[in-house]
Amino acid sequence: MDTCIEPTTTVQCDLNSLPSMTFFKKFFLNIHDSDPDEDDVDSCCKGKPKKPKFYGTISPYPDFSSLSDASDLQKAIEAKGVDEDVIISLLVKRNNAQRQRIKAVYEGITEKALADDLKSVLRSDLEDVVLALLMTPTQFDAHCLRKATKGLGTHESVLVEILASRSNYEIHDIKRVFQKEYQEELEDIIKGDTSGNFTLALQALLKANKDEDSKVDLDLAKIDAKALFAAGENGKAIDINAFLDILTSRSGPQLKKTFQKYASLSENTLSKDLGNELKGDVADCLIDIVKCAWNKPGFFAEKLHLAMKGYGTCDETLIRVIVSRSEVDLKKVMDEYKTMFGRTLQEDILADTKGHYETILLELCGPV
């Protein structure tokens, strides 16, 4: 796997040259001018949330046989030179629940761990994708969080990406699995690896107590917008607690409406420079929370784009996002990708990867 630094995302501006609070003003102004998800917000306001749809690229395989698949995997692993094509085709065309059944049957037959057998015959990025597919979604999230905090340095953007985008239930499950797998509390690891306001932000996300009701309270949106405005425009130090209290406790639809209300307040304050008040990891954290709440598929599309932009490819990001969203909303992520960057995700994967690694990523993206 290529060594990379997890990229910090940006939206229509370079955060390395713009103050963080300036970003908020520009971002909220863009929301006020253009609202691609207005229909979703309005339907929630009316108490008519849209019926959930499946936007993943990987569905249950219809003619599934865990015994047959386990046998085919064993043959592919033991084949002279290893049959990567069979391994890829079999694992990608089964959903995660089916892969867990295959793994259990395989280990019952061979009395060996499937992951260990695959490690012994696969290499590099292909190995990383295959091993990710063999984990449950919660195990994979815990694995990514562990990797982001283990060793020299911390990949702060990975911590925020996962904790800001998962549901309350998923975060509580991640904490449980993390403790089981690594015999350490995730909260303790994060507290030991981070500092200051960034630690406070991550701790707020780890509480996993955000409202998940799809209905929107317009009065509360107005109150929250004014509170955010006061917290960032009071001429003193930024009130980080006010931002965290709102951004980590409100539902996505509620935050969208709050952002719209904030935009109308901030129109008359664009000349105020608050950039020196909030910088670094906590600024990036708040920005990612805002972007994830506003447009989650777009948030992940940007992560993928930055992973393949410029010299080299951040394969960790590429694998993490594609695998974790493949049974959630990868179709919507790919739609946003094309809209935002004028190219398909598949086109950029073809340009930046090769071999069986390229094949398995394209297969996870589904048919073109």
Side-chain angles (χ1 to χ4, degrees), residues 122-133:
L122 300 177
R123 296 292 180 270
S124 191
D125 299 316
L126 174 61
E127 175 188 334
D128 293 329
V129 181
V130 167
L131 295 180
L133 291 172

Side-chain angles (χ1 to χ4, degrees), residues 28 49 59 66 86 103 111 123 155 181 189 193 218 238 242 250 254 270 272 277 286 306 325 327 356:
F28 287 128
S59 301
S66 56
V86 169
K103 183 166 66 172
E111 298 184 346
R123 296 292 180 270
H155 286 177
E181 294 285 335
I189 295 294
D193 275 42
L218 296 179
I238 297 297
R250 306 294 190 252
Q254 184 69 39
L270 292 177
K272 294 183 179 180
E277 300 293 347
L286 292 178
L306 290 172
R325 309 317 292 179
E327 293 183 41
H356 286 102

Side-chain angles (χ1 to χ4, degrees), residues 247-262:
L247 295 179
T248 65
S249 66
R250 306 294 190 252
S251 69
Q254 184 69 39
L255 285 176
K256 289 180 184 181
K257 185 56 67 176
T258 299
F259 299 158
Q260 291 173 327
K261 297 301 179 185
Y262 184 99

Side-chain angles (χ1 to χ4, degrees), residues 66-106:
S66 56
L67 181 59
S68 176
D69 287 348
S71 178
D72 289 343
L73 267 181
Q74 184 179 11
K75 292 174 184 176
I77 291 169
E78 295 175 354
K80 186 176 180 180
V82 66
D83 194 337
E84 289 99 339
D85 291 328
V86 169
I87 294 171
I88 292 170
S89 178
L90 193 152
L91 293 179
V92 168
K93 291 180 180 177
R94 277 66 174 168
N95 72 353
N96 192 272
Q98 292 174 331
R99 290 184 215 120
Q100 300 311 311
R101 290 170 63 185
I102 293 169
K103 183 166 66 172
V105 171
Y106 180 95

